[in-house]
Structure formats: C-alpha cells, structure tokens
Amino acid sequence: MQQPTRTVADSHDMIEVSGARENNLASVSVDIPKRRLTVFTGVSGSGKSSLVFGTIAAESKRLINETYSAFLQSFMPSLARPDVDSLRNLSAAIIVDQERMGANSRSTVGTATDAYAMLRIVFSRLGQPHVGAAGAFSFNLPEGMCPTCEGMGRVSDLDVHELVDVERSLNDGAITVPNFAVDSWYWQSFVASGLFDPDAKLQDYTPQQWQDFLHKPATKLKVGGGNLTYEGLVVKVRRLYLSKDKEPAQAHIKAFVERAVTFTTCGDCGGARLNQAALSSRIADRNIAECSAMQISDLAAFVRGVTDPSVAPLVANLRDLLDSLVEIGLGYLSLDRESGTLSGGEAQRVKMVRHLGSSLTDVTYVFDEPTVGLHPHDIARMNGLLLRLRDKGNTVLVVEHKPETIAIADHVVDLGPGAGPDGGRVCYAGDVAGLRRSDTLTGRHLGHRVSLREQVRPPAGQLPIRGADLHNLRDVSVDVPLGVLTVVTGVAGSGKSSLIHGSLPRRAGVVVVDQSPIRGSRRSNPATYTGLLDPVRAAFAKANGVKPALFSANSEGACPACKGIGVIYTDLAMTAGVASRCEECEGRRFTPKVLTYTLRGKNISEVLAMSVTEARDFFPGGPARSVLDRLADVGLSYLGLGQPLTTLSGGERQRLKLAIHMGEKAHTYVLDEPTTGLHLADVDNLLALLDRLVDAGNTVVVIEHHQAVMAHADWIIDLGPGAGHDGGRVVFTGTPADLVAHGDTLTATHLREYVAQ
C-alpha cells in the first residue's frame, strides 16, 4: 500500500519558542510537541507559568484577538505582546485555570455547564402541566423567576437589634447605625418629625410609634412653618446602604452591613428561585428545582429514565454531560450549587467538562495544576481526562507537581534550577524516563518518599466537634487533638472543608489560612501587604532626615505622571488600550527627588525590586528582617518585594498569609491544602515549617491530600467513604501507622502504596 505523501503542512508539529524573557525567563528556547501531553515542572517561581501562560497562551490569545475588528477589540482587554523573540506554529489556546468562577449568586453549576439550559428545554417539552417555553423555567428571566426574591432564592432582612438599642431614648443615642449619631443630620429628622418623644425609651413606644419609627414609607410632614420628608429607620437604611447599584465604600459601613443584614430563605418559593407555575410542572413526579437540588450522580440516573423520543437527542447530550461531571469526580455537586462557592480545583474541573464534549480539535489546552483538591483516588480519573483531550488530536500543556500526573506525560519540560533570578532556564526536556535519570531537582525527587513518624507527638488535650451537620455531614462528632499535627483527608466532596471550616474558625485563637484572593489593587505587593514597607520607609527616612511618606508609591513620593503605578494605561478609543512603562519615572514609581535618597547605596525603587533573599542580606536585623525571615520560612524567598499581589498563585497567597499570621499570637492554625503549587522538593521544607509551629506549642490542622503530609502527621481524621451523600462520615481516626496497618478506606489503600514504595 502506498504511503501518503507528507506535505509541508504536516511539518508544523512543534510549537517553537525562541528567546522567551517574560518575568524571570532567561531567554528560553524550547520545542514543544503538538498533539501530545507535555507537563511543565520545576520549583515555585522557576518560570513555568511565565512560559506556559505568560508567553505561549498569552501570545495565542493576543493573535486571536487581532483577528477581530477594531470596534470589537475596543471592548476586549488590551494584551501586550510577550517578551519573546519568536513563537512559531501556535494553535488557538484554551486556558482552563483555577480562577474562581464569578461570585454572582445567579451563576450556578447548572448555568455554568449548560446542563440547566438543557433541563429547562426537557421540562418545557415534557413537564405536566405544560407551562410554556424554556424561559418559563429560568430563575434569571422575569417569566420564570419567583417575584418575591427575584430569582435569588433568599431575601435580605435587617436585624433590628443591630440598628437600635431599645433601652435608650433618641436623645441617649438609641440609633446605633453609622452616621445616625445624636445631633447628626439623619438623627434630626426623627426628632423633628414630632412623632416620638425624644426622651422616651424605644421599648416604651406604642405599636403604632414602633411601626412608624422603623417602617413608615417616605412621607411629607408639616413641621413648624416648613415641610419635612420623613422615612422610617429601616426604609432609610435600605435606601442609603443596601441599594443594589452601589457597594458601601467605607470599612465601618461595610462592617455594619455585614452585621445587620441577614439572609433568609424566600418564603414564597422555599429557596427554589422559581415562580409557582414553573414549580407546578413535573416529570416523573419531580419538578425542575428538585432535579437541580439532586446530587449530580443521582440526577444522571433520573435523566436515564426519561425515554420520550421527542427529546431523545437532547437527553443523550444531557446524560453525557452529567456522566462527565461524575467521571471527573464532581458527582457530589448539585446543579443549583452557586458557582462562587466552588473551590479553585472544582471550578477548574467544571470548566474542563465543557471542553470534553467539544467538537474542536487541534487546539492547545493549558491547565494549571489540575490535581488541586484531588485525593490520590481521584487523580487517576483526572489523568484519564487529560489523555482523552490529547487523543482527540489536541495539544495539552499542564503545569503540575504531582508525580502521578508527571508519569503520564509524553514530554516533560523542567524549569529551574531554582526560583526567581535563580530560575528561568530549561534544565531538562524529554520523556519521563529521561527525567528520572537526569540529575535535576525534579528528577531526583520523583521517587522521593516521606516515611511514617517513628514516634508521634502526644496530644495536649482535645478540641471537640459535636453534631456537625453542614452540607453532607451526618451528625459528625470528632475530637481534634491539641498540640500536634493533624491531617484531615478524604476524597473530594467527602466533607473535609465542611467539617473544619464549619466548626473551628469561630473559636478563640484559631487562625484560618486559605487560598482565597487577597483584597488589594495592582498597587498592593508583598511589601505593603505584610507591613514590611513601614520599617523600610522608616529606615530610609532616618538615613536621609526626611519624612517616611516620601517613600510610599501611594503617597507623597509617587511619580505624578503614573500616580506611583509605574505604567501608564492609555485608552486608544476604537482600538485596544495599552499599558506602557511610564516614561517620566521609567517604571520606578517614584519622583526623581525621592530616588536621590539612598540607604546603604540603594534607593527605594531598587530595594522594592529585590527578592526576599536579596532583601534579607540587605536588612541583617530589626523588624524588617523578622518579616523577611517569615517569608523565607514559608518558601517565598524568590518573591519580589514590589511584585503585584494580582500575579500570585493560590498557593503563594496562602503562604503569604501564613507568614503574616506567624507573627501573631495564635495557638491553632488551620491550613487548606498548603502543598498547592509546591514542588516535591519544597514539600520537605513545608513539613519542617509545620513541625516548627507544633514544636512551638501550637496546634496545626491541615486539610490535605498529599501522601507525604499524611505520612508525616501525628494524627489522621479520614472522611468518606465516598463523596456527597456517600460521604459526610468519619471513617477513620488514629495515627498514620494505624491507618496503614489496619485501615480499609480509600486513603488507607493509597497511603499503604505510598509508604511501601
């Protein structure tokens, strides 16, 4: 049989990167095979994300945006060309990252995956009684939403006890709302209304006075010779602080709103979000809200029972989508789960499902640690999905640390050898067998195992949890030992976070260190966030005999042209806006005058450009050094002091928060997957840090899947046996050695394999 002729078109089988210099990349040149699974490895800060996301994916996205008209581009974010000499043979890149899905409470797992849209069509065709088109089942459209809660499922209420002190009179300051103090403008309208005796205690008001005081709608009253518009306190507070179109800006008002506003389930729809017509329509005795509230694995079984030929193709697609969600380990979720409540790993897996059914091929899928939040039992399923995407003819690029995922790679690119300025170079490129033989940090650690403790530390007491029933927990009672390292584990969805975050944070002395985004703008950086900038500014001020405010890019010393940001954002009207380095300060953020002041030969801009490691040499003692030491302790030596917080990964954010809390007086630390983003070699450093915290007399509770952390623990609490309603129970408590010797849970199986290797 004649071989097909190989044409020029077939030769584009490598993504060719030449001279990449984004962030710390040291003019990296590398060839990445197309239609293969390539895993990028290396320590945190080695340049993996700069190469994969900052260079390859960013340029693909920019080139695709350039194909749109100038008019459309004006609505898109401006994308600068990555700092790279050339990129050849790129295909369209789809980024599947861990960014939390929109916190909009109208977005649910069902709406984000289109499963709810399909379910709406099925109900509009088969539901009895028939109530109309698919829009009649949407809680985001007027024809379907509950009119009382407007499709939110809950209504806001004001806690009157947070607004007033009923044992006081108006003259004694009975109104405790911000800006309603005695003699304030708002307070005067209540006293001047003549409706109340200003010296009478609120608890002595007649029912009519109490109603008028709180709920009287805006009413014009004749007072003396003029008119006064009076409205009840609740009415006024709603108008001032709770209107939908504005968020309270001041911190004390935000805090008041959080205290005073309570959300209760809507009484008219019972939290179902839909109007009564939509809820009346049923298939097999279930309405659409009941279907949405079912665990996805149960809903998949329910949908299989819908056999009407008129919706057969649609039901087949819905069934495939639900089966994919189960297969990816999300069968414990429900379609009505709000998107904003998903973890980063769950959000990434929901996005992944949308691409599994896509007819697109020959595209580049880019994943950022897809194993985050996955138990070893679930990682095998995730690996299968990555291989499925590759086998459809796609290029799959994965930034990952877990050896189980590195093992399935067709090709590995290892960056390093270190982090920050010590990284940014390709240490190895080739197959996994070659990586194992190589003398790189990753190669040496692929087979590295942490052994079980010879002797566990004895507990100093117990922290009891009783009758926990949040989400899928089944009346769980368990004792968390004090003064030791406890690992809480179990498959994704087994109830770990519900148990720990639902029971421990409200207790005195408990500090929760998670991966949630850090509030701050592009001006915020590690120096400002940790408080390091204060002693640095003080040192500059003392050395130069000037005031500290000059050395803040948010204050007097800021470059007036860029307002201390270092870049100028230019809106080019009909074409995309651009961000360019400020020519006035050349990106240094400060005025020329401020830059003439030095400390031991360095100006403030040069100090903020230092990494934590460089800064530790520069500040050998004092309060600045103690903050820097804590940053080094948590594995952030490579971080730049002036690096915007918006560029940090979830794991880096968690370690930054931990560094801050280590300076406080806490006695119980709760950490949520602290190994996220950590190279195998860094896990040992993390374990040493956790040991130091425990040995200093603290209790450390870690929610974790990493077998190395389990093996190193003094005590394990294992939840399961499965996920969702198959979980929610404590299936083992004891030492890791007991779990390995006698346990029969999924965790026991994987930990046994791990320590035996």
Side-chain angles (χ1 to χ4, degrees):
M1 183 175 162
Q2 190 179 357
Q3 289 293 319
T5 310
R6 186 172 167 83
T7 66
V8 175
D10 296 327
S11 65
H12 298 273
D13 51 7
M14 288 280 184
I15 296 173
E16 298 171 11
V17 182
S18 181
R21 289 176 296 276
E22 274 298 304
N23 298 323
N24 68 330
L25 294 179
S27 200
V28 164
S29 297
V30 66
D31 288 350
I32 299 158
K34 294 174 84 168
R35 293 172 289 282
R36 297 289 183 274
L37 172 60
T38 300
V39 174
F40 294 79
T41 59
V43 296
S44 293
S46 60
K48 304 181 298 296
S49 294
S50 298
L51 177 60
V52 178
F53 293 95
T55 306
I56 298 169
E59 180 65 354
S60 168
K61 206 168 177 184
R62 188 184 74 85
L63 292 172
I64 289 170
N65 282 9
E66 281 191 353
T67 65
Y68 297 115
S69 68
F71 175 72
L72 285 176
Q73 286 184 51
S74 70
F75 297 102
M76 296 174 175
S78 62
L79 300 170
R81 186 183 186 278
D83 189 359
V84 58
D85 290 338
S86 73
L87 281 168
R88 293 191 190 87
N89 307 331
L90 288 179
S91 59
I94 294 172
I95 297 171
V96 190
D97 59 17
Q98 290 175 40
E99 280 298 311
R100 295 283 176 107
M101 297 173 81
N104 180 345
S105 53
R106 292 191 175 278
S107 171
T108 63
V109 171
T111 60
T113 58
D114 289 338
Y116 190 68
M118 295 184 202
L119 201 58
R120 286 195 288 123
I121 298 170
V122 173
F123 267 84
S124 70
R125 303 267 176 84
L126 304 182
Q128 291 298 327
H130 178 74
V131 297
F137 294 93
S138 170
F139 47 79
N140 290 329
L141 295 175
E143 57 262 43
M145 67 173 58
C146 165
T148 306
C149 63
E150 296 181 340
M152 302 297 282
R154 55 181 186 259
V155 288
S156 62
D157 205 358
L158 280 169
D159 182 351
V160 174
H161 297 295
E162 293 289 351
L163 310 184
V164 294
D165 180 348
V166 294
E167 294 182 355
R168 295 192 201 176
S169 66
L170 286 171
N171 280 340
D172 284 339
I175 304 177
T176 57
V177 179
N179 302 336
F180 280 73
V182 173
D183 290 332
S184 66
W185 174 257
Y186 294 144
W187 173 88
Q188 286 173 11
S189 70
F190 289 92
V191 174
S193 70
L195 296 171
F196 321 102
D197 175 357
D199 289 314
K201 291 181 179 178
L202 267 55
Q203 64 191 17
D204 296 333
Y205 281 9
T206 66
Q208 185 58 52
Q209 286 178 316
W210 184 244
Q211 179 67 21
D212 288 347
F213 175 65
L214 292 178
H215 303 294
K216 194 176 185 73
T219 311
K220 279 201 163 47
L221 301 175
K222 281 212 177 298
V223 177
N227 285 335
L228 166 83
T229 300
Y230 172 85
E231 57 188 344
L233 181 63
V234 167
V235 179
K236 193 183 276 289
V237 167
R238 280 190 184 282
R239 180 174 61 79
L240 291 172
Y241 298 146
L242 304 183
S243 62
K244 291 178 184 171
D245 53 344
K246 61 180 182 186
E247 173 112 354
Q250 295 162 293
H252 70 290
I253 292 178
K254 264 187 185 165
F256 159 73
V257 169
E258 283 173 11
R259 276 197 322 271
V261 175
T262 57
F263 286 98
T264 53
T265 302
C266 173
D268 283 3
C269 66
R273 298 174 173 239
L274 295 160
N275 59 32
Q276 292 307 310
L279 294 175
S280 71
S281 185
R282 294 179 171 268
I283 296 174
D285 209 31
R286 289 188 187 272
N287 66 27
I288 194 167
E290 289 164 346
C291 288
S292 296
M294 291 167 80
Q295 192 166 299
I296 287 172
S297 54
D298 294 341
L299 179 60
F302 174 79
V303 169
R304 279 192 199 91
V306 178
T307 55
D308 192 299
S310 67
V311 289
L314 180 66
V315 166
N317 287 340
L318 176 57
R319 200 170 55 230
D320 289 346
L321 176 56
L322 296 173
D323 287 344
S324 294
L325 284 162
V326 173
E327 186 183 349
I328 207 167
L330 296 177
Y332 60 90
L333 296 178
S334 57
L335 295 189
D336 64 0
R337 171 83 173 263
E338 288 185 15
S339 305
T341 66
L342 299 177
S343 69
E346 285 170 333
Q348 185 176 33
R349 297 197 288 284
V350 166
K351 293 175 200 170
M352 190 176 181
V353 163
R354 287 162 57 182
H355 299 299
L356 282 172
S358 171
S359 300
L360 286 173
T361 106
D362 238 334
V363 296
T364 299
Y365 285 99
V366 186
F367 290 92
D368 185 9
E369 277 200 85
T371 60
V372 163
L374 288 184
H375 187 271
H377 171 71
D378 300 310
I379 291 176
R381 291 197 288 193
M382 171 58 75
N383 285 349
L385 293 166
L386 293 172
L387 293 171
R388 254 174 66 190
L389 278 175
R390 177 203 66 186
D391 292 345
K392 281 177 63 180
N394 299 304
T395 305
V396 181
L397 309 181
V398 183
V399 173
E400 187 54 84
H401 296 287
K402 293 274 170 65
E404 298 99 316
T405 300
I406 297 171
I408 65 161
D410 301 308
H411 190 74
V412 179
V413 176
D414 187 38
L415 284 114
D422 297 327
R425 294 183 285 282
V426 174
C427 298
Y428 172 83
D431 63 13
V432 179
L435 178 67
R436 288 185 193 282
R437 292 192 300 271
S438 74
D439 194 33
T440 64
L441 195 61
T442 307
R444 290 197 301 273
H445 279 81
L446 267 184
H448 174 64
R449 293 289 179 270
V450 170
S451 54
L452 297 173
R453 282 182 179 279
E454 287 184 12
Q455 202 163 0
V456 296
R457 288 168 284 218
Q462 305 291 341
L463 199 61
I465 297 173
R466 294 289 176 265
D469 58 1
L470 184 64
H471 300 317
N472 67 329
L473 296 176
R474 310 280 187 88
D475 193 24
V476 170
S477 294
V478 68
D479 291 325
V480 178
L482 294 171
V484 301
L485 172 59
T486 297
V487 169
V488 181
T489 189
V491 296
S494 59
K496 304 178 299 296
S497 297
S498 300
L499 178 66
I500 299 304
H501 292 309
S503 307
L504 294 187
R506 293 181 297 282
R507 304 192 187 192
V510 174
V511 167
V512 177
V513 190
D514 62 14
Q515 298 182 30
S516 59
I518 292 169
R519 291 200 169 197
S521 64
R522 53 183 171 231
R523 293 176 174 279
S524 305
N525 54 49
T528 58
Y529 185 70
T530 59
L532 173 67
L533 192 58
D534 295 334
V536 170
R537 288 189 326 199
F540 268 95
K542 188 176 178 185
N544 294 281
V546 293
K547 53 186 175 181
L550 284 174
F551 302 99
S552 167
N554 298 331
S555 189
E556 289 180 41
C559 164
C562 64
K563 311 263 188 309
I565 297 175
V567 293
I568 302 275
Y569 291 91
T570 312
D571 182 10
L572 299 178
M574 293 306 285
T575 56
V578 290
S580 53
R581 193 171 73 157
C582 174
E583 291 180 8
E584 193 80 25
C585 67
E586 295 181 329
R588 292 196 288 252
R589 304 173 64 190
F590 295 88
T591 63
K593 176 70 176 162
V594 169
L595 295 176
T596 63
Y597 299 123
T598 60
L599 177 67
R600 296 192 291 280
K602 299 280 186 187
N603 66 34
I604 184 68
S605 183
E606 290 168 328
V607 168
L608 289 175
M610 291 178 177
S611 68
V612 169
T613 301
E614 294 166 322
R616 286 176 80 202
D617 294 336
F618 190 74
F619 294 101
R625 176 59 188 248
S626 60
V627 175
L628 290 163
D629 283 346
R630 291 201 300 273
L631 286 168
D633 280 345
V634 298
L636 294 177
S637 304
Y638 60 90
L639 220 56
L641 302 188
Q643 184 177 334
L645 291 186
T646 49
T647 64
L648 267 56
S649 69
E652 286 168 335
R653 288 193 295 256
Q654 184 177 31
R655 296 197 288 285
L656 184 60
K657 292 176 191 174
L658 179 59
I660 293 169
H661 289 306
M662 281 168 63
E664 300 170 357
K665 287 281 173 264
H667 55 69
T668 300
Y669 290 90
V670 175
L671 281 75
D672 202 338
E673 283 201 78
T675 59
T676 299
L678 279 187
H679 187 269
L680 294 161
D682 293 328
V683 172
D684 286 343
N685 298 333
L686 173 73
L687 296 176
L689 169 66
L690 299 180
D691 279 343
R692 284 205 300 280
L693 283 172
V694 173
D695 293 339
N698 298 296
T699 299
V700 179
V701 180
V702 181
I703 300 170
E704 188 55 84
H705 296 289
H706 204 297
Q707 292 106 314
V709 185
M710 293 182 208
H712 195 70
D714 298 299
W715 195 254
I716 286 185
I717 298 172
D718 190 14
L719 280 97
H725 58 49
D726 296 325
R729 294 187 289 275
V730 172
V731 290
F732 175 86
T733 58
T735 65
D738 286 344
L739 183 63
V740 168
H742 311 296
D744 60 355
T745 66
L746 287 168
T747 304
T749 304
H750 287 277
L751 189 58
R752 204 173 284 129
E753 284 173 16
Y754 175 85
V755 298
Q757 286 174 340

